[in-house]
């Protein structure tokens, strides 16, 4: 994060700053670490990435550890803490007190099945990765430019794409705004996306069922989840030829392909407490809701810490409230800063509570690792 050219990727936009502020206000001595990983690598590779980074930072002291994972990061966090990892880092695992998953496909998402099958799905997936890259990487770049940039790279990679010649001229002008380092970073990012799409296979419902069978919860660790669900799309809202309408159309397409009621999803019956929390925000038919990427019922794991009327990226700080917040999933969720702050306050409540505590055998401190 930041203004420097090398600090413009903002996955958790404004989240670390908010957490540090809230910890300070509560008198809690805590450090927040954002943990990077390979964007489209499989779950096993991603878990290793998280494991190595967490082990490195955890060795700085003996503070208690709390893991917060957004989307696939929630599966990564569960994997790191699971008993099958204990033999590799017993001290590290014993110090983890909580795992919070946010909008995580604990039972998979049919959207992954769609993207995994056929040329069209795989081509669209690359387009979406590039669009996301431009939106998160250059907050100053207008979304219109980001869409055109993504179209440009889609054309380079897809022989079937048909765009008017004038689009090429405009895109060429826009790509000139990138510095040499940014071009190189874009190529590295696109290379990673092109080399491995293992994550998409791993997020199919059948694959996640196998993952769950091997990844048991660890005793002594509290598991909580934040569940998200956006309003079902209204087709009339993306008929006008504007950038926001185009992005709303993309969201509508993703929402449909996430197929909340698909028979692929084998989710357990929620408890009475879980159902009550989901219905209070998403309505009685919460089973039919999705955040545009993950069906809401697939996100339930452990205690329901919070339920948000939000899309998949709102909760990481990418919602419609410029200039401080930038969004590309135009979902019409109306999720903004008050809801954003409330959500992360509930996560703090669940992880470390409302006051600083010194536990026997530990330092007076906590470490919270956020991963997406």
């Amino acid at each position: 994060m930041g203004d420097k050219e090398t600090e413009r990727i903002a996955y958790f936009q404004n989240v670390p700053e908010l957490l540090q502020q809230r910890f300070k206000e509560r008198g809690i001595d805590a450090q927040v670490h954002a943990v990077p990983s390979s964007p489209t690598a499989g779950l096993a590779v991603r878990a290793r990435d998280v494991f190595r980074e967490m082990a490195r930072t955890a060795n700085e002291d003996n503070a208690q550890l709390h893991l917060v994972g957004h989307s696939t990061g929630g599966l990564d966090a569960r994997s790191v803490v699971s008993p099958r990892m204990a033999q590799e880092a017993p001290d590290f695992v014993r110090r983890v007190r909580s795992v919070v998953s946010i909008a995580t496909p604990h039972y998979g998402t049919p959207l992954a099945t769609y993207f995994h099958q056929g040329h069209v799905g795989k081509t669209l997936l690359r387009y979406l990765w590039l669009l996301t890259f431009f939106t998160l990487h250059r907050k100053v770049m207008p979304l219109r430019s980001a869409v055109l940039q993504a179209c440009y790279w889609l054309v380079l990679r897809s022989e079937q794409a048909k765009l008017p010649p004038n689009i090429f001229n405009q895109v060429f002008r826009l790509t000139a705004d990138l510095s040499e380092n940014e071009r190189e970073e874009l190529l590295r990012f696109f290379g990673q996306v092109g080399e491995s799409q293992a994550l998409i296979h791993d997020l199919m419902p059948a694959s996640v069922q196998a993952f769950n069978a091997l990844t048991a919860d660890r005793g002594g660790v509290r598991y909580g989840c934040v569940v998200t669900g956006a309003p079902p799309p209204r087709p009339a809202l993306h008929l006008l030829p504007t950038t926001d309408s185009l992005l709303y159309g993309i969201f509508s397409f993703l929402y449909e392909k996430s197929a909340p009621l698909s028979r692929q999803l084998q989710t357990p019956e929620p408890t009475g407490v879980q159902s009550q929390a989901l219905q209070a925000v998403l309505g009685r038919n919460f089973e039919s809701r999705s955040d545009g990427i993950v069906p809401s019922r697939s996100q339930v794991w452990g205690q329901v810490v919070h339920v948000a009327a939000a899309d998949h990226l709102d909760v990481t700080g990418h919602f419609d409230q410029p200039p401080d917040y930038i969004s590309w999933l135009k979902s019409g969720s109306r999720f903004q800063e008050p809801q954003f702050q409330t959500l992360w306050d509930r996560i703090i409540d669940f992880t470390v509570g409302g006051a600083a505590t010194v536990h026997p055998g530990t330092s007076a401190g906590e470490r919270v690792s956020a991963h997406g």
Side-chain angles (χ1 to χ4, degrees), residues 65-82:
L65 305 177
H66 305 273
L67 306 183
V68 180
H70 173 254
S71 193
T72 310
L75 300 179
D76 299 335
R78 283 177 47 207
S79 182
V80 167
V81 178
S82 66

Side-chain angles (χ1 to χ4, degrees), residues 107-110 112-113 201-210 264-266:
Y107 300 94
T109 172
T113 303
H201 172 271
D202 288 353
L203 294 182
M204 294 191 299
S207 300
V208 181
Q209 287 181 28
Q264 293 182 49
L265 284 175
Q266 300 295 319

